[in-house]
Amino acid sequence: MKTYTVGSLFAGVGGICKGFKEAFTNSSTYKLIWANEIDEFACETYRTNFSHTLIQGDIRFVLNPNLINDKIEQDLKSLNNLDLSLNDKIKLKNKITLEKEQINYYKIQYEKILKEPIDILTAGFPCQAFSLAGERKGFNDERGILFLDIIDLIKKLGEKFYKPRVIFLENVKNLKSHDKGNTYKEIKQRLEDCGYTIYEQILNTMNVSDLPQNRERIYIIGFLNQKDANNFNLFDENNIKKLFIHKTDEDKKKAISNIIDYSLTYKDAPEYYYTKEKYPHYFVTKEEFIHSDKEVRINLDEQIDEMYQFYQCRRGMYVRKNKSGVCPTLTANMGTGGHNVPLIKVNDGIRKLTPKEVFNLQGFNVDNGYTLPASYKNRKYPISQLYKQAGNAVSVPVIKLLATEILNVLNLNK
């Protein structure tokens, strides 16, 4: 078996890594070498499921540890401020000590990420800067600038070994149209300047996989070798049409029943249920509404009336059923509380999706090859973090589909 090595930036909880890990052909497969992630909770989830090297920390400092010296110099200058209180000076000195320790830490991480060459570089780089759900500041947002670290790593790998043969990137659909297309034009140009032939395509999870989730994402694949690029035709219009899976309402119902645990009851997990006692404002009867000063009446028992459907309670003003008959796009906002987690009707009431269910809506197959952490630092693992992670994740079967096609291309030009 020919093995192609993979490094993953902005790895999150490992959706892209899992998709590549599961992809194979009769003659080739992938080997995960390292992954990088900054969020400590996501790192814990990642470590629970993968055994290869995890480089935890800010990728900017991983690739350029000496940038921390700039922070130290600035803090040293601040120490000379005569207006600083003794307590503030102590805090600042402690901060400088920590920053000096960080330099040593990041120098070690730098060695790890450049320890050996890789064939494939993947990155689900931060999407908040381009997302419709955010402020859409693009490269004016610090998170948007993180794309440039991908370019930095490509160049550093090229200087020490050779550039990755394939680049695989994922982001929100809106990246393509952000700033009238100028943002994506800049991204594509920088990748082309590194020598890559770039292909991009927007795919919806519900159209090209069995997962019942409406999730449109842009997938960007770059080939350094022109022969590889010439052999890649999956994103041609006719081939994209062949990827689409026709689904009847019965097909959707079956897919949903495979993911939603309809055997779960209020007795098992009351924390996920919506009840009148817990949320009286969401179970207002007609009579109660007449005698109130409310402008809108919400009654979940009346409005969430179909099983095998997904609903959202929007800003506490109205309830909406997803028109496509599948789950609406899962977002990181699910981890911020409120009513951001989709709702469903079950046999004994109304409840929100569980962490296991939202992960499975992304294709992680929890309890069957993937494990959600139970604790972290001797405390119960925060459920809010799991919701956030699932919303930030990718749809594993879509990644596997694309990773398999990349193997087919590489096999043609060994």
Side-chain angles (χ1 to χ4, degrees), residues 125 129-130 137-139 144 147-148 151 167-193 196-202 217-223 232 235:
F125 60 107
F130 313 106
K137 292 183 178 180
F139 283 124
F147 164 77
L148 299 179
I151 303 298
I167 304 297
F168 181 96
L169 310 179
E170 178 269 354
N171 212 287
V172 291
K173 172 187 176 181
N174 196 52
L175 174 66
K176 189 76 181 290
S177 59
H178 183 268
D179 189 24
K180 299 179 181 178
N182 291 321
T183 297
Y184 183 69
K185 183 179 179 181
E186 174 74 9
I187 286 174
K188 188 172 184 177
Q189 185 62 58
R190 287 181 179 267
L191 291 170
E192 289 175 339
D193 289 344
Y196 292 91
T197 299
I198 302 301
Y199 298 95
E200 70 283 325
Q201 183 64 49
I202 294 170
R217 289 295 185 267
I218 186 170
Y219 298 92
I220 304 164
I221 301 177
F223 294 96
F232 183 79
F235 288 171

CSV table of all heavy atoms in Angstrom, one decimal, residues 125 129-130 137-139 144 147-148 151 167-193 196-202 217-223 232 235:
chain,number,residue,atom,x,y,z
A,125,PHE,N,-9.6,26.4,7.9
A,125,PHE,CA,-9.2,27.7,8.6
A,125,PHE,C,-10.4,28.5,9.0
A,125,PHE,O,-11.5,28.3,8.5
A,125,PHE,CB,-8.2,28.5,7.7
A,125,PHE,CG,-8.8,28.9,6.3
A,125,PHE,CD1,-9.2,30.2,6.1
A,125,PHE,CD2,-8.9,28.0,5.3
A,125,PHE,CE1,-9.7,30.6,4.9
A,125,PHE,CE2,-9.4,28.4,4.1
A,125,PHE,CZ,-9.8,29.7,3.8
A,129,ALA,N,-14.6,35.0,10.1
A,129,ALA,CA,-14.3,36.3,9.4
A,129,ALA,C,-15.1,36.4,8.1
A,129,ALA,O,-15.2,37.5,7.6
A,129,ALA,CB,-12.8,36.4,9.2
A,130,PHE,N,-15.6,35.3,7.6
A,130,PHE,CA,-16.3,35.3,6.3
A,130,PHE,C,-17.7,34.9,6.4
A,130,PHE,O,-18.5,35.0,5.4
A,130,PHE,CB,-15.5,34.4,5.3
A,130,PHE,CG,-14.0,34.6,5.3
A,130,PHE,CD1,-13.2,33.7,5.9
A,130,PHE,CD2,-13.5,35.7,4.7
A,130,PHE,CE1,-11.8,33.8,5.9
A,130,PHE,CE2,-12.1,35.9,4.7
A,130,PHE,CZ,-11.3,35.0,5.3
A,137,LYS,N,-15.8,40.4,8.3
A,137,LYS,CA,-14.7,41.4,8.1
A,137,LYS,C,-13.6,40.9,7.2
A,137,LYS,O,-12.7,41.7,6.8
A,137,LYS,CB,-14.2,41.8,9.5
A,137,LYS,CG,-15.2,42.6,10.3
A,137,LYS,CD,-14.6,43.1,11.6
A,137,LYS,CE,-15.5,43.9,12.4
A,137,LYS,NZ,-14.9,44.4,13.7
A,138,GLY,N,-13.6,39.6,7.0
A,138,GLY,CA,-12.6,39.0,6.1
A,138,GLY,C,-11.2,39.3,6.6
A,138,GLY,O,-10.8,39.0,7.7
A,139,PHE,N,-10.3,39.8,5.7
A,139,PHE,CA,-8.9,40.0,6.1
A,139,PHE,C,-8.7,41.1,7.0
A,139,PHE,O,-7.6,41.4,7.5
A,139,PHE,CB,-8.0,40.2,4.8
A,139,PHE,CG,-7.7,38.9,4.1
A,139,PHE,CD1,-8.1,38.8,2.7
A,139,PHE,CD2,-7.2,37.8,4.7
A,139,PHE,CE1,-7.8,37.6,2.1
A,139,PHE,CE2,-6.9,36.7,4.1
A,139,PHE,CZ,-7.2,36.5,2.7
A,144,GLY,N,-9.3,36.1,9.9
A,144,GLY,CA,-9.2,36.0,8.5
A,144,GLY,C,-7.7,35.9,8.0
A,144,GLY,O,-7.3,35.2,7.1
A,147,PHE,N,-5.3,32.8,7.5
A,147,PHE,CA,-5.0,32.0,6.2
A,147,PHE,C,-3.6,32.2,5.8
A,147,PHE,O,-3.0,31.3,5.2
A,147,PHE,CB,-6.0,32.6,5.1
A,147,PHE,CG,-5.5,32.2,3.7
A,147,PHE,CD1,-5.8,30.9,3.3
A,147,PHE,CD2,-4.9,33.1,2.9
A,147,PHE,CE1,-5.4,30.5,2.0
A,147,PHE,CE2,-4.4,32.7,1.6
A,147,PHE,CZ,-4.7,31.4,1.2
A,148,LEU,N,-3.0,33.3,6.1
A,148,LEU,CA,-1.6,33.6,5.6
A,148,LEU,C,-0.6,32.6,6.3
A,148,LEU,O,0.5,32.4,5.8
A,148,LEU,CB,-1.3,35.0,5.9
A,148,LEU,CG,-2.1,36.1,5.2
A,148,LEU,CD1,-1.7,37.5,5.5
A,148,LEU,CD2,-2.1,35.9,3.7
A,151,ILE,N,0.0,29.8,4.0
A,151,ILE,CA,1.0,30.1,3.0
A,151,ILE,C,2.4,30.1,3.6
A,151,ILE,O,3.4,29.6,3.0
A,151,ILE,CB,0.8,31.5,2.4
A,151,ILE,CG1,-0.7,31.6,1.8
A,151,ILE,CG2,1.8,31.9,1.4
A,151,ILE,CD1,-0.9,30.7,0.7
A,167,ILE,N,-3.0,20.5,-1.5
A,167,ILE,CA,-3.5,21.4,-0.4
A,167,ILE,C,-5.0,21.2,-0.4
A,167,ILE,O,-5.7,21.2,-1.4
A,167,ILE,CB,-3.3,22.9,-0.7
A,167,ILE,CG1,-1.8,23.2,-0.9
A,167,ILE,CG2,-3.8,23.8,0.4
A,167,ILE,CD1,-1.0,22.9,0.3
A,168,PHE,N,-5.6,21.0,0.8
A,168,PHE,CA,-7.0,20.8,1.0
A,168,PHE,C,-7.6,21.7,2.0
A,168,PHE,O,-7.2,21.7,3.2
A,168,PHE,CB,-7.3,19.3,1.4
A,168,PHE,CG,-8.7,19.0,1.6
A,168,PHE,CD1,-9.4,18.3,0.5
A,168,PHE,CD2,-9.4,19.2,2.7
A,168,PHE,CE1,-10.8,18.0,0.7
A,168,PHE,CE2,-10.8,18.9,2.9
A,168,PHE,CZ,-11.4,18.3,1.9
A,169,LEU,N,-8.4,22.6,1.6
A,169,LEU,CA,-9.0,23.7,2.4
A,169,LEU,C,-10.5,23.6,2.5
A,169,LEU,O,-11.2,23.2,1.5
A,169,LEU,CB,-8.6,25.1,2.0
A,169,LEU,CG,-7.1,25.3,1.7
A,169,LEU,CD1,-6.8,26.7,1.3
A,169,LEU,CD2,-6.3,25.0,3.0
A,170,GLU,N,-11.1,24.0,3.6
A,170,GLU,CA,-12.6,24.0,3.8
A,170,GLU,C,-13.0,25.3,4.5
A,170,GLU,O,-12.2,25.8,5.4
A,170,GLU,CB,-13.0,22.8,4.6
A,170,GLU,CG,-14.5,22.7,4.8
A,170,GLU,CD,-14.9,23.4,6.1
A,170,GLU,OE1,-14.0,23.8,6.9
A,170,GLU,OE2,-16.1,23.4,6.4
A,171,ASN,N,-14.1,25.9,4.0
A,171,ASN,CA,-14.6,27.1,4.7
A,171,ASN,C,-16.0,27.3,4.4
A,171,ASN,O,-16.7,26.5,3.7
A,171,ASN,CB,-13.8,28.3,4.2
A,171,ASN,CG,-13.6,29.4,5.3
A,171,ASN,OD1,-14.6,30.1,5.6
A,171,ASN,ND2,-12.5,29.5,5.8
A,172,VAL,N,-16.6,28.3,4.9
A,172,VAL,CA,-18.0,28.6,4.7
A,172,VAL,C,-18.3,29.0,3.2
A,172,VAL,O,-17.4,29.6,2.5
A,172,VAL,CB,-18.5,29.7,5.6
A,172,VAL,CG1,-18.6,29.2,7.0
A,172,VAL,CG2,-17.7,31.0,5.5
A,173,LYS,N,-19.5,28.8,2.8
A,173,LYS,CA,-19.9,29.1,1.4
A,173,LYS,C,-19.6,30.6,1.1
A,173,LYS,O,-19.2,30.9,0.0
A,173,LYS,CB,-21.3,28.7,1.2
A,173,LYS,CG,-22.0,29.2,-0.1
A,173,LYS,CD,-23.5,29.0,-0.1
A,173,LYS,CE,-24.1,29.5,-1.4
A,173,LYS,NZ,-25.6,29.3,-1.4
A,174,ASN,N,-19.8,31.4,2.0
A,174,ASN,CA,-19.8,32.9,1.8
A,174,ASN,C,-18.4,33.3,1.5
A,174,ASN,O,-18.2,34.5,1.1
A,174,ASN,CB,-20.3,33.6,3.0
A,174,ASN,CG,-20.6,35.1,2.7
A,174,ASN,OD1,-21.4,35.4,1.8
A,174,ASN,ND2,-20.1,36.0,3.5
A,175,LEU,N,-17.4,32.5,1.7
A,175,LEU,CA,-16.0,32.9,1.4
A,175,LEU,C,-15.9,33.3,-0.1
A,175,LEU,O,-15.2,34.2,-0.5
A,175,LEU,CB,-15.0,31.7,1.7
A,175,LEU,CG,-13.6,31.9,1.3
A,175,LEU,CD1,-12.9,33.1,2.1
A,175,LEU,CD2,-12.8,30.7,1.5
A,176,LYS,N,-16.6,32.5,-0.9
A,176,LYS,CA,-16.5,32.7,-2.4
A,176,LYS,C,-17.1,34.1,-2.8
A,176,LYS,O,-16.6,34.7,-3.7
A,176,LYS,CB,-17.3,31.6,-3.1
A,176,LYS,CG,-17.2,31.6,-4.6
A,176,LYS,CD,-15.8,31.0,-5.0
A,176,LYS,CE,-15.7,31.0,-6.5
A,176,LYS,NZ,-16.6,30.0,-7.2
A,177,SER,N,-18.1,34.6,-2.1
A,177,SER,CA,-18.7,35.9,-2.5
A,177,SER,C,-18.3,37.0,-1.6
A,177,SER,O,-18.7,38.2,-1.9
A,177,SER,CB,-20.2,35.7,-2.4
A,177,SER,OG,-20.7,35.4,-1.1
A,178,HIS,N,-17.5,36.8,-0.5
A,178,HIS,CA,-17.2,37.8,0.4
A,178,HIS,C,-16.4,39.0,-0.3
A,178,HIS,O,-15.6,38.8,-1.2
A,178,HIS,CB,-16.3,37.3,1.5
A,178,HIS,CG,-15.9,38.3,2.6
A,178,HIS,ND1,-14.7,39.0,2.5
A,178,HIS,CD2,-16.5,38.7,3.7
A,178,HIS,CE1,-14.7,39.8,3.5
A,178,HIS,NE2,-15.8,39.6,4.3
A,179,ASP,N,-16.8,40.2,0.0
A,179,ASP,CA,-16.2,41.4,-0.6
A,179,ASP,C,-16.3,41.3,-2.1
A,179,ASP,O,-15.3,41.6,-2.8
A,179,ASP,CB,-14.8,41.6,-0.1
A,179,ASP,CG,-14.2,42.9,-0.5
A,179,ASP,OD1,-15.0,43.9,-0.7
A,179,ASP,OD2,-12.9,43.0,-0.6
A,180,LYS,N,-17.4,41.0,-2.6
A,180,LYS,CA,-17.7,40.9,-4.0
A,180,LYS,C,-16.7,39.9,-4.8
A,180,LYS,O,-16.3,40.2,-5.9
A,180,LYS,CB,-17.6,42.3,-4.7
A,180,LYS,CG,-18.6,43.3,-4.1
A,180,LYS,CD,-18.5,44.6,-4.7
A,180,LYS,CE,-19.5,45.6,-4.1
A,180,LYS,NZ,-19.4,47.0,-4.7
A,181,GLY,N,-16.3,38.9,-4.1
A,181,GLY,CA,-15.4,37.9,-4.6
A,181,GLY,C,-13.9,38.2,-4.5
A,181,GLY,O,-13.1,37.4,-4.8
A,182,ASN,N,-13.6,39.4,-4.0
A,182,ASN,CA,-12.2,39.8,-3.9
A,182,ASN,C,-11.4,39.0,-2.9
A,182,ASN,O,-10.2,38.7,-3.1
A,182,ASN,CB,-12.1,41.3,-3.6
A,182,ASN,CG,-12.5,42.2,-4.7
A,182,ASN,OD1,-12.2,41.9,-5.9
A,182,ASN,ND2,-13.2,43.3,-4.4
A,183,THR,N,-12.0,38.6,-1.8
A,183,THR,CA,-11.4,37.8,-0.7
A,183,THR,C,-10.9,36.5,-1.3
A,183,THR,O,-9.7,36.1,-1.1
A,183,THR,CB,-12.3,37.6,0.5
A,183,THR,OG1,-12.6,38.9,1.1
A,183,THR,CG2,-11.6,36.7,1.5
A,184,TYR,N,-11.8,35.8,-2.0
A,184,TYR,CA,-11.4,34.5,-2.5
A,184,TYR,C,-10.4,34.6,-3.6
A,184,TYR,O,-9.5,33.8,-3.8
A,184,TYR,CB,-12.6,33.7,-3.0
A,184,TYR,CG,-12.2,32.3,-3.5
A,184,TYR,CD1,-11.8,31.4,-2.6
A,184,TYR,CD2,-12.2,32.1,-4.9
A,184,TYR,CE1,-11.3,30.1,-3.1
A,184,TYR,CE2,-11.8,30.8,-5.3
A,184,TYR,CZ,-11.3,29.9,-4.4
A,184,TYR,OH,-10.9,28.7,-4.9
A,185,LYS,N,-10.5,35.7,-4.4
A,185,LYS,CA,-9.6,36.0,-5.5
A,185,LYS,C,-8.2,36.1,-4.9
A,185,LYS,O,-7.2,35.6,-5.5
A,185,LYS,CB,-10.0,37.2,-6.2
A,185,LYS,CG,-9.1,37.6,-7.4
A,185,LYS,CD,-9.5,38.8,-8.1
A,185,LYS,CE,-8.6,39.2,-9.3
A,185,LYS,NZ,-9.1,40.4,-10.0
A,186,GLU,N,-8.1,36.8,-3.8
A,186,GLU,CA,-6.8,37.0,-3.1
A,186,GLU,C,-6.2,35.6,-2.6
A,186,GLU,O,-5.0,35.3,-2.7
A,186,GLU,CB,-6.9,37.9,-1.9
A,186,GLU,CG,-5.7,38.1,-1.1
A,186,GLU,CD,-4.6,38.9,-1.7
A,186,GLU,OE1,-4.9,39.5,-2.8
A,186,GLU,OE2,-3.5,39.0,-1.2
A,187,ILE,N,-7.1,34.8,-2.0
A,187,ILE,CA,-6.7,33.5,-1.5
A,187,ILE,C,-6.2,32.6,-2.6
A,187,ILE,O,-5.2,32.0,-2.5
A,187,ILE,CB,-7.9,32.8,-0.7
A,187,ILE,CG1,-8.1,33.5,0.6
A,187,ILE,CG2,-7.7,31.3,-0.5
A,187,ILE,CD1,-9.4,33.1,1.4
A,188,LYS,N,-7.0,32.6,-3.7
A,188,LYS,CA,-6.6,31.7,-4.8
A,188,LYS,C,-5.3,32.2,-5.4
A,188,LYS,O,-4.4,31.3,-5.8
A,188,LYS,CB,-7.7,31.7,-5.8
A,188,LYS,CG,-7.5,30.7,-7.0
A,188,LYS,CD,-8.7,30.7,-7.9
A,188,LYS,CE,-8.6,29.6,-8.9
A,188,LYS,NZ,-9.8,29.5,-9.8
A,189,GLN,N,-5.1,33.5,-5.5
A,189,GLN,CA,-3.9,34.0,-6.1
A,189,GLN,C,-2.7,33.6,-5.3
A,189,GLN,O,-1.6,33.3,-5.8
A,189,GLN,CB,-4.0,35.5,-6.3
A,189,GLN,CG,-2.8,36.1,-7.0
A,189,GLN,CD,-2.6,35.6,-8.4
A,189,GLN,OE1,-3.6,35.8,-9.2
A,189,GLN,NE2,-1.5,35.0,-8.7
A,190,ARG,N,-2.8,33.7,-4.0
A,190,ARG,CA,-1.6,33.4,-3.1
A,190,ARG,C,-1.3,31.9,-3.2
A,190,ARG,O,-0.1,31.5,-3.1
A,190,ARG,CB,-1.9,33.8,-1.7
A,190,ARG,CG,-1.9,35.3,-1.4
A,190,ARG,CD,-2.2,35.7,0.0
A,190,ARG,NE,-2.1,37.1,0.2
A,190,ARG,CZ,-1.0,37.8,0.6
A,190,ARG,NH1,0.1,37.1,0.8
A,190,ARG,NH2,-1.1,39.1,0.8
A,191,LEU,N,-2.3,31.1,-3.3
A,191,LEU,CA,-2.0,29.6,-3.5
A,191,LEU,C,-1.4,29.3,-4.8
A,191,LEU,O,-0.5,28.5,-5.0
A,191,LEU,CB,-3.3,28.8,-3.3
A,191,LEU,CG,-3.9,28.8,-1.9
A,191,LEU,CD1,-5.3,28.2,-1.9
A,191,LEU,CD2,-3.0,28.0,-0.9
A,192,GLU,N,-1.9,30.0,-5.9
A,192,GLU,CA,-1.3,29.9,-7.2
A,192,GLU,C,0.1,30.4,-7.2
A,192,GLU,O,1.0,29.8,-7.9
A,192,GLU,CB,-2.1,30.6,-8.2
A,192,GLU,CG,-3.5,29.9,-8.5
A,192,GLU,CD,-4.4,30.7,-9.4
A,192,GLU,OE1,-4.2,31.9,-9.6
A,192,GLU,OE2,-5.3,30.1,-10.0
A,193,ASP,N,0.4,31.4,-6.5
A,193,ASP,CA,1.8,32.0,-6.4
A,193,ASP,C,2.7,31.0,-5.8
A,193,ASP,O,3.9,31.0,-6.0
A,193,ASP,CB,1.8,33.3,-5.6
A,193,ASP,CG,1.2,34.4,-6.4
A,193,ASP,OD1,1.0,34.3,-7.6
A,193,ASP,OD2,0.8,35.5,-5.7
A,196,TYR,N,0.5,26.2,-7.0
A,196,TYR,CA,-0.6,25.2,-7.0
A,196,TYR,C,-1.7,25.6,-8.1
A,196,TYR,O,-2.0,26.7,-8.4
A,196,TYR,CB,-1.3,25.1,-5.7
A,196,TYR,CG,-0.5,24.5,-4.6
A,196,TYR,CD1,0.4,25.3,-3.8
A,196,TYR,CD2,-0.5,23.1,-4.4
A,196,TYR,CE1,1.2,24.8,-2.9
A,196,TYR,CE2,0.4,22.6,-3.4
A,196,TYR,CZ,1.2,23.4,-2.7
A,196,TYR,OH,2.0,22.8,-1.7
A,197,THR,N,-2.2,24.5,-8.7
A,197,THR,CA,-3.4,24.7,-9.6
A,197,THR,C,-4.6,24.4,-8.7
A,197,THR,O,-4.7,23.4,-8.0
A,197,THR,CB,-3.4,23.6,-10.7
A,197,THR,OG1,-2.2,23.8,-11.5
A,197,THR,CG2,-4.6,23.8,-11.6
A,198,ILE,N,-5.5,25.4,-8.7
A,198,ILE,CA,-6.6,25.4,-7.7
A,198,ILE,C,-8.0,25.1,-8.3
A,198,ILE,O,-8.3,25.6,-9.3
A,198,ILE,CB,-6.7,26.8,-7.0
A,198,ILE,CG1,-5.3,27.1,-6.3
A,198,ILE,CG2,-7.8,26.8,-6.0
A,198,ILE,CD1,-4.9,26.1,-5.3
A,199,TYR,N,-8.7,24.2,-7.6
A,199,TYR,CA,-10.1,23.9,-7.9
A,199,TYR,C,-10.9,24.2,-6.7
A,199,TYR,O,-10.5,23.9,-5.6
A,199,TYR,CB,-10.2,22.4,-8.3
A,199,TYR,CG,-9.5,22.0,-9.5
A,199,TYR,CD1,-8.2,21.4,-9.4
A,199,TYR,CD2,-10.0,22.2,-10.8
A,199,TYR,CE1,-7.5,21.1,-10.5
A,199,TYR,CE2,-9.3,21.8,-11.9
A,199,TYR,CZ,-8.0,21.3,-11.8
A,199,TYR,OH,-7.3,20.9,-12.9
A,200,GLU,N,-12.1,24.7,-6.9
A,200,GLU,CA,-13.0,24.9,-5.8
A,200,GLU,C,-14.4,24.5,-6.1
A,200,GLU,O,-14.8,24.6,-7.3
A,200,GLU,CB,-13.0,26.4,-5.3
A,200,GLU,CG,-13.6,27.4,-6.3
A,200,GLU,CD,-12.7,27.7,-7.5
A,200,GLU,OE1,-11.5,27.7,-7.3
A,200,GLU,OE2,-13.3,27.9,-8.6
A,201,GLN,N,-15.2,24.1,-5.1
A,201,GLN,CA,-16.6,23.7,-5.3
A,201,GLN,C,-17.3,23.9,-4.0
A,201,GLN,O,-16.9,23.5,-3.0
A,201,GLN,CB,-16.6,22.3,-5.8
A,201,GLN,CG,-18.0,21.8,-6.2
A,201,GLN,CD,-18.6,22.6,-7.4
A,201,GLN,OE1,-18.0,22.7,-8.4
A,201,GLN,NE2,-19.9,23.1,-7.2
A,202,ILE,N,-18.6,24.4,-4.2
A,202,ILE,CA,-19.5,24.4,-3.0
A,202,ILE,C,-20.3,23.2,-3.0
A,202,ILE,O,-21.0,22.9,-4.0
A,202,ILE,CB,-20.3,25.7,-3.1
A,202,ILE,CG1,-19.5,27.0,-2.9
A,202,ILE,CG2,-21.4,25.7,-2.0
A,202,ILE,CD1,-20.2,28.3,-3.2
A,217,ARG,N,-20.7,24.2,2.1
A,217,ARG,CA,-19.3,24.6,2.4
A,217,ARG,C,-18.5,24.6,1.1
A,217,ARG,O,-18.8,23.9,0.2
A,217,ARG,CB,-18.6,23.6,3.4
A,217,ARG,CG,-19.2,23.7,4.8
A,217,ARG,CD,-18.8,25.1,5.4
A,217,ARG,NE,-19.2,25.2,6.8
A,217,ARG,CZ,-20.4,25.7,7.2
A,217,ARG,NH1,-21.3,26.1,6.4
A,217,ARG,NH2,-20.6,25.9,8.5
A,218,ILE,N,-17.5,25.5,1.1
A,218,ILE,CA,-16.6,25.5,-0.1
A,218,ILE,C,-15.4,24.6,0.2
A,218,ILE,O,-14.8,24.7,1.3
A,218,ILE,CB,-16.2,27.0,-0.4
A,218,ILE,CG1,-15.4,27.0,-1.7
A,218,ILE,CG2,-15.4,27.6,0.7
A,218,ILE,CD1,-15.1,28.3,-2.3
A,219,TYR,N,-15.1,23.8,-0.8
A,219,TYR,CA,-13.9,22.9,-0.6
A,219,TYR,C,-12.9,23.4,-1.7
A,219,TYR,O,-13.3,23.5,-2.9
A,219,TYR,CB,-14.3,21.5,-0.8
A,219,TYR,CG,-15.3,21.0,0.3
A,219,TYR,CD1,-16.7,21.1,0.1
A,219,TYR,CD2,-14.8,20.6,1.5
A,219,TYR,CE1,-17.6,20.8,1.1
A,219,TYR,CE2,-15.7,20.2,2.5
A,219,TYR,CZ,-17.1,20.3,2.3
A,219,TYR,OH,-17.9,19.9,3.3
A,220,ILE,N,-11.7,23.6,-1.3
A,220,ILE,CA,-10.6,24.1,-2.2
A,220,ILE,C,-9.5,23.1,-2.2
A,220,ILE,O,-9.0,22.7,-1.2
A,220,ILE,CB,-10.1,25.5,-1.7
A,220,ILE,CG1,-11.2,26.5,-1.5
A,220,ILE,CG2,-9.0,26.0,-2.6
A,220,ILE,CD1,-10.9,27.7,-0.6
A,221,ILE,N,-9.2,22.6,-3.4
A,221,ILE,CA,-8.1,21.6,-3.5
A,221,ILE,C,-7.1,22.1,-4.5
A,221,ILE,O,-7.4,22.6,-5.6
A,221,ILE,CB,-8.7,20.3,-4.1
A,221,ILE,CG1,-9.8,19.7,-3.1
A,221,ILE,CG2,-7.6,19.2,-4.2
A,221,ILE,CD1,-10.5,18.5,-3.5
A,222,GLY,N,-5.8,22.1,-4.1
A,222,GLY,CA,-4.7,22.5,-4.9
A,222,GLY,C,-3.7,21.4,-5.2
A,222,GLY,O,-3.4,20.7,-4.3
A,223,PHE,N,-3.3,21.4,-6.4
A,223,PHE,CA,-2.3,20.3,-6.8
A,223,PHE,C,-1.0,21.0,-7.3
A,223,PHE,O,-1.0,21.9,-8.1
A,223,PHE,CB,-2.8,19.5,-8.0
A,223,PHE,CG,-4.0,18.6,-7.6
A,223,PHE,CD1,-5.3,19.1,-7.8
A,223,PHE,CD2,-3.8,17.4,-6.9
A,223,PHE,CE1,-6.4,18.3,-7.5
A,223,PHE,CE2,-4.9,16.6,-6.6
A,223,PHE,CZ,-6.2,17.1,-6.9
A,232,PHE,N,-7.6,15.6,-12.2
A,232,PHE,CA,-8.7,15.8,-11.2
A,232,PHE,C,-9.9,16.4,-12.0
A,232,PHE,O,-9.8,17.6,-12.5
A,232,PHE,CB,-8.2,16.8,-10.1
A,232,PHE,CG,-9.3,17.1,-9.1
A,232,PHE,CD1,-9.5,16.1,-8.1
A,232,PHE,CD2,-10.0,18.2,-9.1
A,232,PHE,CE1,-10.5,16.4,-7.1
A,232,PHE,CE2,-11.0,18.5,-8.1
A,232,PHE,CZ,-11.2,17.6,-7.2
A,235,PHE,N,-14.7,18.0,-9.9
A,235,PHE,CA,-15.5,19.3,-9.7
A,235,PHE,C,-16.1,19.7,-11.1
A,235,PHE,O,-16.7,20.8,-11.2
A,235,PHE,CB,-14.7,20.4,-9.1
A,235,PHE,CG,-14.4,20.2,-7.6
A,235,PHE,CD1,-13.5,21.0,-7.0
A,235,PHE,CD2,-15.1,19.2,-6.9
A,235,PHE,CE1,-13.2,20.8,-5.6
A,235,PHE,CE2,-14.8,19.0,-5.6
A,235,PHE,CZ,-13.9,19.9,-4.9
